[in-house]
Amino acid sequence: MDPKKMPREMTGAELKSMLKSSINFKSLGGLKSEELTLSPEKKQWWRDAKVGMFVHWGLYSILGRGEWARFNEHIPGEEYAKLAEEFTGENWDMDVWAQLAEDMGAKYMVMVARHHDGFALWDSPGSYQGFTTMNTGSHRDYIREYTEAARRHNLRVGVYYSNMDWRFPGYFDPKGKPESAAAMKKQAYDQVAELCGNYGKVDILWYDGSWLNHSGSDTTAAWLWEPVKLNLLARSFNPEMLINPRSGWEGDFYCDEGSHEITGKIIPVPWEKNMCVCSGASWGWMANDPVSDLNWLIHMLVDVVTRDGNILLNVAPDGKGAIPQAVQNRVRELGQWLKENGDSIYGTRGGPIEPVDRVYGTTSKEDHIYLHIQDREAFADCTLPLEGYRVLECTYGGEKIPYTQEESSLRVMLPEGLPRQADTIVKLRVDRPVEPKKDAEVYFTGK
Ligand code: GLC
């Protein structure tokens, strides 16, 4: 798909059908704002980073039944709040976490600062009823520990924040209980200012929960949140901060959530897939949540980067802050793979050749094109459409391999007897730097 030929406005469904894609962008139809628009240059570091680690940890981690437990199980507020005394973080060591993110090959982290249950993991004067880790069992400021440790490990700092909070009757009945809804909004403004203002430079603000009364989407309650105003406040602390689309403003990138495969063509806008290292049944910790297969995680990562996206992988510590060993192991294996193959991932752009679902895709950087081959048998029959670049060299594992090139097509002959692997990477050197696809100037209306 040539991004220049894309309409200036379309729905998510139209995008999917145009790209024959499984992509499912969330929170489309947010407000537009020229004042908030970041230039492509300011997003460059994020696009180069490719891999991030997401962390869901809060009172729900003690229960182990998912981060929605309070709501789903109708747990009364006072009863739920008692968990805060048990939340002492005795096994929480942020250096271990940041080290794990580094070992995973992540270049940024996004930590849940406050989820829908209202419990703030930092010293938050703006918290309604002072429901914070500072005032309860822990007496710790985990966002301080997090931001400092992440920076020590050279990771960019992202913060997840849920605008809505189940503790407010105004969430359930915003028109009928406007004072409570206004208090919830005030809390959001105060807390966003605290998070963006009190912990050094926050690189990513990752909102969630901007809907109301359990209906609509993140973009339908802009009348309450006034997200442009909220994000101008956030940006006043860091004018270059990237902001996701889930506050009701359009955002700097798009989000695809969940463990479904990504298929179809290259997606010509900045986007991020967020999913779990474990089953995805919940984002918060659950006992015995099965850890995903390494090859499958590599498959997902490759599907995303060959379609020009980032991947944000969630890990969930238990109630005491410990990371299950099986999760640690898997994450390190992925990191090892990235250590060996990272030059075909980091700093690349998707393309120039469109992917073929479950067979191959490409990434490129300077005068290199990386073929990521997922199905070697099917690939053996493929003629690759490559126009405008002359291949000067074709290598696998540093060794030259044979290829033939005609005007607009390329065939690559893989060596026999290669080991079974999730991704077989062939590196092509071409006669000039590969031009990254320009982003489409499109607004998704969300219908
Ligand atoms: C969904 C879930 C929320 C989770 C988020 C992560 O919005 O409702 O609990 O934190 O996804 O992307």
Side-chain angles (χ1 to χ4, degrees):
M1 181 75 219
D2 181 351
K4 283 189 258 116
K5 293 199 190 119
M6 281 172 74
R8 295 189 80 82
E9 279 202 1
M10 69 167 101
T11 65
E14 281 164 342
L15 178 79
K16 277 170 80 110
S17 104
M18 189 174 274
L19 302 179
K20 298 186 177 49
S21 177
S22 63
I23 195 83
N24 215 350
F25 284 153
K26 290 201 71 128
S27 319
L28 297 180
L31 298 180
K32 299 185 201 183
S33 163
E34 271 180 28
E35 266 177 297
L36 287 172
T37 304
L38 279 190
S39 66
E41 292 72 40
K42 299 213 162 119
K43 300 183 195 179
Q44 194 57 44
W45 72 264
W46 182 84
R47 294 196 99 164
D48 288 345
K50 297 291 173 203
V51 185
M53 182 187 266
F54 207 3
V55 182
H56 274 70
W57 187 54
L59 297 183
Y60 45 83
S61 315
I62 298 176
L63 299 175
R65 299 189 295 272
E67 74 286 358
W68 277 70
R70 181 195 190 276
F71 179 87
N72 291 344
E73 299 171 18
H74 310 283
I75 303 174
E78 318 78 72
E79 193 186 319
Y80 188 84
K82 286 187 196 140
L83 291 171
E85 291 309 320
E86 281 173 53
F87 193 77
T88 53
E90 56 200 271
N91 295 328
W92 174 274
D93 179 340
M94 202 46 232
D95 266 310
V96 172
W97 271 97
Q99 184 61 52
L100 188 68
E102 210 186 320
D103 291 351
M104 184 177 97
K107 304 292 180 198
Y108 61 98
M109 286 182 85
V110 178
M111 177 164 156
V112 173
R114 180 175 79 57
H115 210 269
H116 313 329
D117 62 5
F119 188 56
L121 270 72
W122 73 99
D123 182 8
S124 174
S127 167
Y128 174 67
Q129 297 178 336
F131 194 36
T132 75
T133 48
M134 238 20 214
N135 296 336
T136 52
S138 285
H139 304 291
R140 279 165 77 176
D141 182 332
Y142 293 104
I143 294 300
R144 170 121 6 247
E145 294 177 22
Y146 157 59
T147 50
E148 289 177 355
R151 291 188 192 111
R152 276 198 296 279
H153 289 261
N154 290 321
L155 297 155
R156 294 279 196 147
V157 172
V159 171
Y160 165 112
Y161 182 76
S162 162
N163 277 334
M164 67 83 154
D165 179 335
W166 289 316
R167 296 177 304 149
F168 290 86
Y171 161 71
F172 295 95
D173 185 6
K175 294 261 157 87
K177 297 191 170 72
E179 277 162 29
S180 170
M184 178 171 71
K185 176 180 177 182
K186 181 179 184 316
Q187 173 181 261
Y189 276 68
D190 290 349
Q191 291 194 320
V192 163
E194 289 166 13
L195 289 168
C196 298
N198 297 349
Y199 298 93
K201 190 162 150 260
V202 169
D203 301 296
I204 305 167
L205 181 54
W206 212 102
Y207 289 103
D208 188 16
S210 301
W211 61 83
L212 291 168
N213 193 23
H214 210 48
S215 66
S217 78
D218 288 310
T219 56
T220 50
W223 63 268
L224 175 71
W225 303 114
E226 297 185 88
V228 171
K229 199 168 138 197
L230 179 60
N231 287 313
L232 285 171
L233 168 69
R235 283 267 181 76
S236 69
F237 300 101
N238 172 14
E240 306 195 352
M241 180 192 307
L242 268 81
I243 303 176
N244 82 342
R246 294 171 72 166
S247 64
W249 162 60
E250 197 188 359
D252 296 308
F253 56 91
Y254 296 93
C255 289
D256 175 280
E257 181 179 279
S259 304
H260 57 270
E261 225 187 348
I262 297 294
T263 55
K265 297 192 176 182
I266 298 167
I267 298 155
V269 288
W271 69 282
E272 179 185 64
K273 173 158 196 79
N274 62 296
M275 57 174 273
C276 297
V277 170
C278 291
S279 73
S282 130
W283 297 85
W285 180 79
M286 283 192 316
N288 306 317
D289 191 4
V291 183
S292 300
D293 179 69
L294 175 65
N295 284 342
W296 188 76
L297 289 172
I298 295 171
H299 177 87
M300 294 296 264
L301 167 71
V302 168
D303 283 348
V304 167
V305 293
T306 54
R307 289 166 181 80
D308 217 11
N310 280 16
I311 193 162
L312 180 64
L313 279 172
N314 183 64
V315 287
D318 67 19
K320 294 187 169 156
I323 315 152
Q325 194 57 48
V327 173
Q328 294 197 36
N329 295 347
R330 183 64 83 246
V331 155
R332 291 207 171 89
E333 285 166 6
L334 183 65
Q336 186 55 38
W337 185 87
L338 275 162
K339 217 178 233 158
E340 287 158 21
N341 301 294
D343 62 337
S344 71
I345 305 285
Y346 301 118
T348 65
R349 296 294 302 269
I353 307 175
E354 288 286 353
V356 174
D357 295 345
R358 300 180 202 99
V359 180
Y360 74 88
T362 54
T363 54
S364 52
K365 181 163 58 183
E366 292 150 16
D367 57 350
H368 286 112
I369 300 174
Y370 302 89
L371 292 174
H372 294 267
I373 302 160
Q374 292 166 319
D375 181 340
R376 290 199 300 257
E377 215 172 298
F379 178 80
D381 298 325
C382 288
T383 300
L384 318 186
L386 180 64
E387 253 177 280
Y389 300 98
R390 179 124 296 275
V391 177
L392 303 178
E393 191 178 67
C394 179
T395 55
Y396 169 78
E399 304 283 325
K400 286 191 185 169
I401 58 167
Y403 66 94
T404 56
Q405 185 174 23
E406 283 167 30
E407 192 90 339
S408 57
S409 66
L410 174 76
R411 284 186 77 98
V412 171
M413 276 62 90
L414 290 173
E416 299 278 316
L418 294 179
R420 275 173 67 97
Q421 51 196 358
D423 183 22
T424 299
I425 302 169
V426 169
K427 186 170 172 181
L428 307 171
R429 189 159 62 80
V430 292
D431 60 347
R432 65 189 178 92
V434 179
E435 284 165 37
K437 258 196 179 162
K438 278 226 156 52
D439 291 335
E441 283 177 28
V442 55
Y443 173 74
F444 294 106
T445 59
K447 271 176 252 137

